[in-house]
Amino acid sequence: MSKTQCFKIKRGTVYDKAAKEHFELLPKWKNVFSRLSDLLEEEITKMAFSPHILRLDPSEFTKEENKKLFRKDGVLKSNTNKAKNLFKDYQKIIEEEGLSKFEELRHINFIYGVMRMRHQHLESFRTSENDIYYKADFDLEKKTNGLVIPISEIEYEEKYLEELKKKA
């Protein structure tokens, strides 16, 4: 493993804006869980955070009618009117909650090159201000074309400890 390098997200970049939007929208998914639970008359606690696909954990279903609406992998089927209507209701919930443009952080990271290759190490944490700090054994700044900026390992560790104290 090569020398550890530390970075933080560069504020004001397209990557920073996309990541912050993700974190701002994330809490709204609680309402989606609640509203889907009401629609299905079952407690929903696990789902994919995707505005385009309704994917739930099928092991949570107790009602046969709900089990029939979803494939074994949890994706909503599209071959029945009931399933089509449920998806329309889901899309309406997504729209009303303002989640139409929600993007998973892993997809955002992929788009902007914030990922590791095989045999590379990358770890990160998010601050209370929704900044992201990284520790890697490769040059993440170069890989992202300047979307992150290098910092010292001391700065990384100090920020990490500061965030831990805020959570305690």
Side-chain angles (χ1 to χ4, degrees), residues 81-106:
N81 283 335
K82 190 165 184 168
K84 289 175 185 174
N85 289 334
L86 178 59
F87 188 71
K88 285 179 186 175
D89 291 340
Y90 175 68
Q91 290 286 287
K92 184 178 178 188
I93 292 168
I94 293 296
E95 184 70 35
E96 289 172 354
E97 295 297 333
L99 291 167
S100 299
K101 295 182 181 179
F102 179 82
E103 192 72 50
E104 279 277 9
L105 186 60
R106 62 192 168 126

Side-chain angles (χ1 to χ4, degrees), residues 15-51:
Y15 173 56
D16 177 54
K17 290 174 186 171
K20 284 193 172 42
E21 182 178 18
H22 164 84
F23 293 127
E24 289 167 12
L25 293 176
L26 202 54
K28 293 184 176 191
W29 282 97
K30 288 180 185 176
N31 297 334
V32 176
F33 279 87
S34 174
R35 293 175 71 181
L36 275 175
S37 294
D38 291 344
L39 270 177
L40 295 170
E41 298 176 346
E42 303 224 41
E43 185 177 2
I44 303 301
T45 63
K46 300 174 192 166
M47 69 179 290
F49 292 177
S50 171

Side-chain angles (χ1 to χ4, degrees), residues 56-68:
L56 306 177
D57 181 351
S59 68
E60 292 190 320
F61 298 134
T62 58
K63 295 183 172 194
E64 276 305 312
E65 61 192 67
N66 289 336
K67 291 177 183 178
K68 291 177 183 176

